[in-house]
Amino acid sequence: MDPLIVESAPRPAPKKKVSSLRKWGPAMIAIALVIAINAAMFGTSGAPALSDRSKRRMQLTKDRIAEVEAMESIKYDISGGFGSRNLSEDEGGVMEYTRRRHRYLGEYTHVDKSGDFSTMGKWTTSLIYFGFWVFLMFPNWFWPIGRPGIALGGGLTMVVWRYLLRITGNGPYFNAERVIIMEPLFLLFGLMLTTIYIEKMEVGGLFDKLRESLDDPVNWKRSAKIMVMSTIGSAAVMNDSVVLIFSGVVVDLCVRHKVANSLPYLLSLATTANIGSAYTMTGNPQNILIVSLAYDDISWTEFFLNMLMPVTAASLINGAIMFIYYGAELFPGSSGFLENLGIIFAGNRTPEMLAQEHAYYARQAATKPEIEDVNHGWSIWSKIQLFITMIFLGFFAAGFDVCVVSICAGCILMTIASYKRQHYDPRPEHVQYDEDGNPLPPKKTYDMDGNEIEPEEEELVTESETTLTEVDYGLLMLFIGQFLLIGSFDDTGVPQAFFNFTMGGCADQMAEGYCVYWFVMIVTILSNVASNVPVCQMLAATFPFASPYEWLQVSFSATIAGNLTMLGSAANMIVAFQAAKVGDRTFTSERHFPFGVPSTLVSLYAGTFLLATWHFSPECSIKLGECEEEGY
């Protein structure tokens, strides 16, 4: 029997439209569980009374701030940061460190301008922000401008409106340059540059080998491989870099296997990249910010050991919900959940899965000579790619500036690719053929006197004409616009007022008792409305002496929150953009949200419980002197 006959297997029956209950049921159940849990904990009594520890911390905080503000100012430039946490006695010790940090938080990290707005100024600025937030969340519901155009238009609208508020006396000066955070833009550009050259330098190179390592004829195994790779990669480097490198790989795998719905695989990449980045302090921008702004030291090992159990649980929960929610796509032909368990743990196969495997191996057998011709082992260029990539990842993991590392890696790969194109790659042919396929002689040109003009030497093809045109500059415009919108909205003080209002009596005991479950829920909501990095900056300025344990809870909730909505994290936006570049537009807010709600809420509450029950970081601030009675 010819193995290629498997390719002409009968087409599956048309897919039935998913009912609203099937689509939104898990999300509704998850929301109902969260409401029930919080109602059971708080009941009619509301927030618990302040504990003795909380009262003591409030008094110590008040005393420390008074001492710092009464200190004589020592000349120190804090524009670049507050320096070392461990100053010697000659340098001023803990108090001088506290003074520098206190000034840095108030003047650079989170400048409170809310008192300079009129009521009209606050409300109109907030309305503009939420209007464009809705446009960004559902760009296809309005004008076909696309997210970059919407974000940039919103940012410029905010600049103009803030100028009008200022000249009419309804708002303060808007320092638009300050709210545009350059580091993420540099990082994204460097990562895009690196990714493009890894992909385009050579057919059968490192990019193709990465794709082959994730390939599998079985749908659920392919999804599982993507989730494992994404989780580990995001913990080792940053989640943004992982999704930027592998988004194209995942889409390519979906095209190769002709899957009807690529959403489960794109969600496998994006959601696990967000969750996996919570393992380490260098996994995402908010973790880096938290560790740099925390009052007490938090080491890499301390951070990882505390996060090991809750993040692992969140990863398993996300994977389980993925396999349940998208069971029809990942387990074709299965009758339901119990049969899916047998497929995973007992190695069972349905007839549809067997047909997929046979078709996969038949394609491999049919294209084997061609594949062997392309994948001819590791060429010198593949080895150079691998060497540079390993150095790039090593500098990433060693804590060097990620922006500089990624841009340097991209520039080195660009130089090597340019050299390879000019000296080793075959020249493009400019030969024309007749109807029979015979080459035509080159056309001759003559001057006014009838003399033949010699053809000019062929011009070199530059990188600006080829690979550099594939950098997604629209993605950079999207983030610039978002920075302007979020920065102006944060100036109004609305996010901080929302936090204080909703936290109520739990505001002064954020991570104590069952207040921690309400606290992480508020952080999750704010992270999706006002972005997680500004929320962490706000908390650092509002609670300057928060304990390492409290910061770990903030880190976990702000990171897991990225899976709630499309705008919850930059990784989601990058996956959507990279997929859309190659024609896959299935990853949208409307399709993301029904899965994101149950995955995020269940992972959030399960992880919060584990972190609250088993953690190694102190629940008090050592530098504040709060831990003396607790034996630290």
Side-chain angles (χ1 to χ4, degrees), residues 159-367:
V159 171
V160 172
W161 182 247
R162 286 291 299 272
Y163 172 75
L164 294 176
L165 290 179
R166 185 192 176 200
I167 62 175
T168 57
N170 288 295
Y173 169 72
F174 180 41
N175 191 347
E177 183 182 359
R178 185 185 67 83
V179 302
I180 298 176
I181 308 173
M182 299 305 297
E183 286 79 3
L185 301 177
F186 292 146
L187 175 64
L188 275 177
F189 176 77
L191 290 174
M192 284 191 283
L193 199 63
T194 303
T195 304
I196 288 169
Y197 279 104
I198 288 175
E199 179 182 1
K200 301 294 183 181
M201 184 182 289
E202 184 182 27
V203 176
L206 182 59
F207 186 86
D208 291 323
K209 289 176 171 60
L210 288 173
R211 180 183 57 198
E212 294 299 327
S213 68
L214 295 177
D215 199 4
D216 197 281
V218 180
N219 291 359
W220 73 266
K221 287 185 178 180
R222 194 160 61 249
S223 174
K225 284 183 178 181
I226 293 170
M227 287 191 279
V228 171
M229 175 280 305
S230 181
T231 301
I232 296 174
S234 297
V237 288
M238 289 185 71
N239 56 351
D240 295 350
S241 61
V242 170
V243 297
L244 196 56
I245 292 171
F246 286 98
S247 295
V249 175
V250 172
V251 173
D252 188 67
L253 288 174
C254 294
V255 172
R256 173 186 291 190
H257 290 273
K258 301 178 182 178
V259 299
N261 182 11
S262 62
L263 187 59
Y265 307 96
L266 294 173
L267 280 172
S268 296
L269 176 67
T271 56
T272 51
N274 288 325
I275 294 173
S277 68
Y279 271 119
T280 62
M281 62 171 59
T282 54
N284 54 58
Q286 63 266 22
N287 284 2
I288 296 173
L289 179 70
I290 284 171
V291 172
S292 66
L293 294 182
Y295 189 52
D296 293 87
D297 296 313
I298 304 176
S299 68
W300 193 96
T301 306
E302 177 187 356
F303 193 100
F304 174 74
L305 290 177
N306 279 279
M307 289 296 189
L308 183 60
M309 191 180 297
V311 177
T312 302
S315 300
L316 294 174
I317 290 169
N318 181 74
I321 295 176
M322 180 72 67
F323 286 166
I324 294 172
Y325 195 86
Y326 291 104
E329 289 87 351
L330 300 178
F331 302 91
S334 173
S335 60
F337 177 70
L338 292 179
E339 187 174 356
N340 293 349
L341 292 179
I343 292 171
I344 295 173
F345 296 107
N348 299 337
R349 296 285 191 276
T350 64
E352 289 81 357
M353 294 172 70
L354 288 172
Q356 285 182 340
E357 289 187 10
H358 293 160
Y360 173 80
Y361 291 120
R363 284 195 303 270
Q364 280 199 328
T367 58

